[in-house]
Amino acid sequence: MSRETKHAEGKHAKDTAEQGRRVQADVDVIDKKSKAEPKSKKSPMQAGERDYPEKFPEQHQKKSGRERDLDPQPMFEAPHYVGSQKLKDMVALITGGDSGIGRAVAVLFAREGADVAICYLEERDDAETTKAAVEKEGAKCILIEGDVSESKFCDAAVKQTVKELGKLDILVNNAAFQEHTSDILDLTDEHFDRTLRTNLYGYFYMARAAVRHMHSGASIIMTGSVTGIEGSKELLDYSMTKGGIHAFTRSLSSQLIGKGIRVNAIAPGPVWTPLNPADRPAEGVAKFGTKSAMGRAAQPEEIAPAFVFMAAPSCSSYITGEILPIIGGYG
């Protein structure tokens, strides 16, 4: 390299370094100014067809939680969602379908032309409300009470669905148990066992039972969680199960490709359902969802269309083994 070239390269490097310092100085001025100015409070984001609650009154429920006692009532009707027969003549089985996300999914499945079987643990009144909402859409609905953590119940629920509704095209594994602990030393064997049996055993048992009756074009949709992606220090066991559900989704999807059965998961962030007031203390419920990027919790009807998308062959015939986060943005 000639002396002239070395000189030119050296000057270019100095100019680049100097440019970096000028950029830094400009940003330092902006930082100093922003620290001096009071920050305005960010308003929760509203981007839907109707406004959704941005905060909730303090409230707490005993498990299993009752949707009819929530204040405000979760929004599941999706009045602006227009069905187009995406699931015409199909049959769906939804666990935990009596309330929350499960109820909203049941209503939209019915609006898209599917008959629906609802599994629920004990809240008969909530289940009857869901049944009425499904039938209002012109679809058939049956209710099946029992515990998904018992393999015999899962086998029986699938058989009853096929017997009464004729077949099984869609399984939505949605039932869940959640209870917080802030210290691993407080997480008892009974607590840990209940979470895993409901959230993992239940998903496995129901999927195993369903696959026996499914044919090419059918689908299984799991309800995962953002906690299975990011973790949660107060939900060690719950996060573990949700991460396991994501892994189960990907593994089972690979196994069932040859049968033409798609398997996917929806991983929601905070959603206003009975699961949360039946877990958190009342003062925590009042702040539920405020830490999301949108500044508020989702309503069930904002999550349900994703389940339609994953269930409908017209929308997602080339999608399997995917985990779709719906967490209200990043930031």
Side-chain angles (χ1 to χ4, degrees), residues 271-307:
V271 186
W272 183 238
T273 76
L275 191 70
N276 302 291
D279 167 23
R280 300 167 182 268
E283 59 273 17
V285 172
K287 300 176 182 177
F288 180 62
T290 57
K291 292 183 179 179
S292 71
M294 283 196 179
R296 64 174 179 84
Q299 289 293 317
E301 69 180 33
E302 296 182 276
I303 307 297
F307 286 80

Side-chain angles (χ1 to χ4, degrees), residues 25-37:
D26 291 342
V27 173
D28 286 347
V29 171
I30 294 171
D31 286 346
K32 187 175 181 180
K33 183 179 179 182
S34 64
K35 287 180 180 178
E37 294 176 349

Side-chain angles (χ1 to χ4, degrees), residues 131-193:
K131 184 175 187 288
V134 168
E135 291 175 340
K136 185 178 179 181
E137 301 292 339
K140 296 177 183 177
C141 183
I142 63 172
L143 302 179
I144 308 172
E145 181 176 351
D147 180 5
V148 297
S149 71
E150 297 294 330
S151 63
K152 289 182 180 180
F153 168 73
C154 294
D155 291 339
V158 168
K159 288 178 181 178
Q160 183 178 343
T161 299
V162 173
K163 180 180 179 180
E164 296 191 30
L165 299 180
K167 56 179 179 173
L168 179 59
D169 302 292
I170 307 161
L171 169 66
V172 177
N173 265 331
N174 172 70
F177 180 87
Q178 174 185 311
E179 180 66 26
H180 71 281
T181 51
S182 58
D183 190 330
I184 190 172
L185 301 180
D186 296 328
L187 185 56
T188 66
D189 291 355
E190 182 180 34
H191 180 167
F192 185 76
D193 185 63

Side-chain angles (χ1 to χ4, degrees), residues 220-224 245-246 249 263-267 310 322-324:
I220 298 172
I221 308 169
M222 318 279 193
T223 301
I245 288 166
H246 298 169
T249 297
V263 186
N264 293 289
I266 309 298
M310 287 301 190
E322 295 296 340
I323 291 90
L324 175 61

Side-chain angles (χ1 to χ4, degrees), residues 203-216:
Y203 278 42
F204 172 78
Y205 290 150
M206 195 61 77
R208 184 178 63 183
V211 166
R212 294 189 180 104
H213 299 270
M214 287 180 155
H215 303 285
S216 180

